Structure formats: C-alpha cells, structure tokens
C-alpha cells in the first residue's frame, strides 16, 4: 500500500470475490483520507485480519463461504464492535438483508453493481465509510441539540417517501434529526414483517421517537410516524394534528402509498409542508410531491448517483416537482433548514 497520512481511515475489505475486492479498493483509494489496509475472503480470515490490522471500519459481504456475513456481523458487534458497511449482492431478499444488517449494527447497506461495468456505483462507498466512522460502532443516539426547537416554526411538517434502498437512505437522513424535530411522517414500501424491525432499529439510532402509526395517533414535534403495512396514512382534514389510517385500494400498486400521504399533506398543510422523495422503483409519490410544490411547500428528491433505484425521484424531477435532485448527504439539512424559519417571518 502507498504511504498515507496517519489520520487516514483504515479499511478492511471482506468479500470472497477478488473482482469485487479490487473494485471497492479502487473506489476507496481515490480518497486520500482513506487507506485500504487489507483484505479477507471469508469470516475466519476477517477475524484474524481485524486482530492483526486493527482497522477503523470494515466492508462486509453477506454471501460468503463457511460463515455468512450476518452471522459474522452479530459476532463482531458482540465481541469487538466496529463500524461496518455491508456491501452485498442485490437479491430478492435484499430488503430482509438490509433490515437485518442494520438491526445487527451495520452503519450502512450498499448493493454491489452487476459486474465491472457498474463499478461507478461504488463511488458512494467512500462517503459511506466516512459516515460509518463518524457514527461509531453502534453507539446510542446522542441527545442532539433540542434548542433548535425554539427556532422551528410549529406549523412545519416533514413528509418522506421511499421504496427500494429506502431503509439505508432513511437511516442516513433521520440520524441527523434533533430530538425535538418537526412532526415527521414516512411511507416506506416494505414487507409487513420487516416494518416493526425497521421502526425498532430507527429508535435505537435516532434522537426523536420513532413508531408505527395508528389511527388517531397525535402528530407532534419529536415524533416520527411510519405507515403500517396494508393501510394508507394521511392527515385528518378536521384536525391536522391527527393521523388517519385507511383500508382503501392500493394506489400505484402500493398500500400504503406515498402519493396518498403527500396529496393529503398538500391539501391539509399546504405551504407548511417540507417533503422529500427518496430512492425507489416506479412513480409512487411523484404526483403527490408535485401537489405539495403547487401548494407552496418545499420539495426535495434524491439524485441518481446516491439512489439504489432512481425511479420515484426521477419521475418527480421530470414532472417539475423539484428544481434539481440532491445527493443523500444533503437531504437532512435541506429538510430541517426550511423548518427553522423564525416564527415572526412566517406567522401566517
């Protein structure tokens, strides 16, 4: 390895594919603040490499011989906690793997490109490595500065929609939210059995309270509501501080649907909406985001480079619901900043 600064982040790459190890190393070595200190082809080699090399962070494949990555991750977090970025193949069970990895303590979960032609998708890896080190090895959420609450316009609400790749994207966004964040409502397309695990995981990582919405749940500062599987979530027209759940037909093939939430927000909250459409396949949420923009709200969409699937945000951009897509790292601040407008400046 070439000499680098002592302060460089030391990375161990764990993957049974020499090709993938090479692609990841190439992407990481473009960052002068990151040093790839070693490689391991399976969990047993990784165990010895961690003892010998003492890395700051590891990348971890899930499908490996002799011991799968999730089993190794559980042992690692129990015996020698380290920041971990899971980098694995996209399969039918990707959502299950993503939720399980995050629940076990991984900082992020990325999906491998299909062969060398997709190597540019690893461009996001250095940023994920840096975020993982900053987060630390599964530390409890800090009591983030709740004094910003005095600067938050109490009328502001945040609305988020995501699908494929949204678990990791939402973790990245919500970890930056202060304990007394604006009321936040989320629709994430996800199989029913994973939603409780996801909500539980977010609660361990985020300063605000995260819970699965119920009909009649109060919408208030410091609370993040996730739509349950099989029910649409919207705001009450009679009381904008109340969450309503409805067993109506799917919209855009989904129940819950992002469009249902976003269109409800545009109708009930109007210009006080701050909404973002994150990574996901299809177009759910694009029309709703446009409705929020037409109502005077703030609208954001994740960009192609940082999305696992640039479907929903792309359609929103093409419809004119956003001026330009943003990289994931800028989404949290772009959601919170419009909510910090002094009350006297937006008293209407």
């Amino acid at each position: 390895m070439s000499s680098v600064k002592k302060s460089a982040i030391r990375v161990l790459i764990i993957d049974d594919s020499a090709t993938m190890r090479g692609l990841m190393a190439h992407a990481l070595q473009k960052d002068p603040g990151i040093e790839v200190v070693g490689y391991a082809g399976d969990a047993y080699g990784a165990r010895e490499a961690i003892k010998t090399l003492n890395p700051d962070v590891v990348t971890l494949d899930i499908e490996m011989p002799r011991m799968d990555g999730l089993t190794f991750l559980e042992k690692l977090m129990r015996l020698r906690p380290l920041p971990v970025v899971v980098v694995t193949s996209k399969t039918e069970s990707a959502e299950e793997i993503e939720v399980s990895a995050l629940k076990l303590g991984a900082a992020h979960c990325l999906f491998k490109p299909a062969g060398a032609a997709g190597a540019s998708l690893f461009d996001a890896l250095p940023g994920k490595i840096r975020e993982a080190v900053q987060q630390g090895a599964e530390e409890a959420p800090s009591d983030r500065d709740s004094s910003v609450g005095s600067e938050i316009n109490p009328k502001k609400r945040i609305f988020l929609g995501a699908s494929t790749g949204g678990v990791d994207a939402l973790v990245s966004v919500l970890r930056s939210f202060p304990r007394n964040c604006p009321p936040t409502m989320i629709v994430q397309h996800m199989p029913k059995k994973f939603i409780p695990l996801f909500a539980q995981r977010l609660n361990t990582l985020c300063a605000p309270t995260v819970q699965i919405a119920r009909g009649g749940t109060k919408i208030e500062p410091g609370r993040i509501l996730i739509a349950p599987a099989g029910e649409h979530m919207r705001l009450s027209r009679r009381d904008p501080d109340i969450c309503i759940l409805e067993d109506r037909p799917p919209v855009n093939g989904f129940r819950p649907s992002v469009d249902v939430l976003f269109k409800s927000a545009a109708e009930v909250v109007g210009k006080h909406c701050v909404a973002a459409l994150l990574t996901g396949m299809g177009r759910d949420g694009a029309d709703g985001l446009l409705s929020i923009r037409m109502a005077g709200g703030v609208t954001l969409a994740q960009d192609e480079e940082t999305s696992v699937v640039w479907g929903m945000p792309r359609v929103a951009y093409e419809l004119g619901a956003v001026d330009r897509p943003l990289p994931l790292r800028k989404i949290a601040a772009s959601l919170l900043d419009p909510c910090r407008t002094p009350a006297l400046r937006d008293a209407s």
Side-chain angles (χ1 to χ4, degrees):
M1 304 292 174
S2 59
S3 60
V4 294
K5 297 178 181 179
K6 289 184 179 180
S7 60
I9 297 171
R10 296 165 52 82
V11 182
L12 172 67
I13 296 175
I14 308 171
D15 197 297
D16 64 333
S17 166
T19 299
M20 288 300 168
R21 292 197 299 265
L23 290 174
M24 284 188 277
H26 179 70
L28 292 173
Q29 287 165 349
K30 292 179 182 179
D31 189 323
I34 294 177
E35 177 187 9
V36 178
V37 296
Y39 308 89
D42 61 27
Y44 295 93
R47 183 176 60 186
E48 296 305 314
I50 289 171
K51 291 179 182 178
T52 304
L53 300 171
N54 193 29
D56 299 311
V57 59
V58 303
T59 72
L60 177 64
D61 188 16
I62 295 300
E63 297 180 355
M64 296 189 297
R66 300 204 289 171
M67 182 187 296
D68 68 272
L70 290 178
T71 300
F72 178 73
L73 178 60
E74 187 276 329
K75 293 179 181 293
L76 179 67
M77 287 305 181
R78 179 163 44 87
L79 301 174
R80 193 192 188 286
L82 270 176
V84 174
V85 176
V86 169
V87 185
T88 192
S89 300
K90 182 73 173 175
T91 66
E92 291 182 359
S93 58
E95 287 180 329
E96 181 175 1
I97 289 172
E98 188 172 21
V99 171
S100 297
L102 292 170
K103 186 173 186 293
L104 288 171
H108 293 290
C109 188
L110 297 179
F111 294 100
K112 296 176 183 176
S120 63
L121 292 182
F122 280 134
D123 289 347
L125 187 55
K128 296 298 184 183
I129 291 292
R130 289 184 174 279
E131 289 177 10
V133 172
Q134 289 172 359
Q135 292 172 10
E138 247 337 79
E139 295 178 355
S142 61
D143 201 12
R144 294 178 181 84
D145 182 15
S146 59
S147 65
V148 295
S150 60
E151 302 172 8
I152 291 178
N153 185 328
K155 295 183 180 180
K156 295 295 184 182
R157 307 286 180 81
I158 292 176
F159 303 90
L160 301 172
S163 188
T164 309
V167 170
D168 189 46
L170 286 167
V171 168
S172 296
V173 170
L174 297 175
R175 282 189 72 117
S176 298
F177 276 32
R179 185 172 61 166
N180 196 31
C181 70
T184 301
M185 302 178 75
I186 299 171
V187 169
Q188 162 69 54
H189 299 157
M190 180 183 291
K192 182 177 181 179
K193 62 180 179 179
F194 299 134
I195 291 181
L197 290 175
F198 181 47
Q200 177 184 349
R201 176 63 177 159
L202 285 176
N203 246 331
T204 66
L205 293 173
C206 304
T209 298
V210 182
Q211 65 185 80
I212 299 172
R214 296 182 179 181
T217 299
K218 185 79 171 176
I219 300 165
E220 57 189 8
R223 176 173 287 174
I224 298 173
L225 297 179
I226 300 175
E231 294 182 277
H232 293 300
M233 179 172 68
R234 66 172 179 83
L235 296 174
S236 167
R237 295 180 182 89
R238 294 183 177 180
D239 185 346
D241 292 328
I242 295 296
C243 170
I244 299 294
L245 300 180
E246 296 179 328
D247 184 18
R248 292 191 288 129
V251 175
N252 300 316
F254 296 101
R255 186 175 60 207
S257 163
V258 183
D259 263 336
V260 170
L261 175 62
F262 281 9
K263 289 181 179 180
S264 163
E267 177 186 354
V268 177
V269 186
K271 67 178 183 180
H272 298 297
C273 295
V274 182
L277 196 56
L278 306 178
T279 175
M281 187 178 298
R283 62 169 297 130
D284 188 33
D287 291 326
L289 197 67
L290 180 60
S291 297
I292 290 176
R293 185 171 197 183
M294 293 176 68
V298 175
T299 55
L300 311 169
Q302 189 175 349
D303 68 3
E304 182 175 10
E305 182 180 355
T306 61
S307 293
V308 174
V309 178
W310 201 50
M312 291 154 53
R314 175 185 60 80
V315 176
Y317 175 57
E318 292 174 349
L319 284 175
V322 294
D323 289 326
R324 63 183 179 87
L326 296 174
L328 183 61
R329 68 180 182 277
K330 293 187 177 181
I331 296 289
S334 298
L335 288 167
L336 292 170
D337 286 348
C339 299
R340 290 191 173 110
T341 305
L344 290 176
R345 188 173 147 193
D346 193 4
S348 62

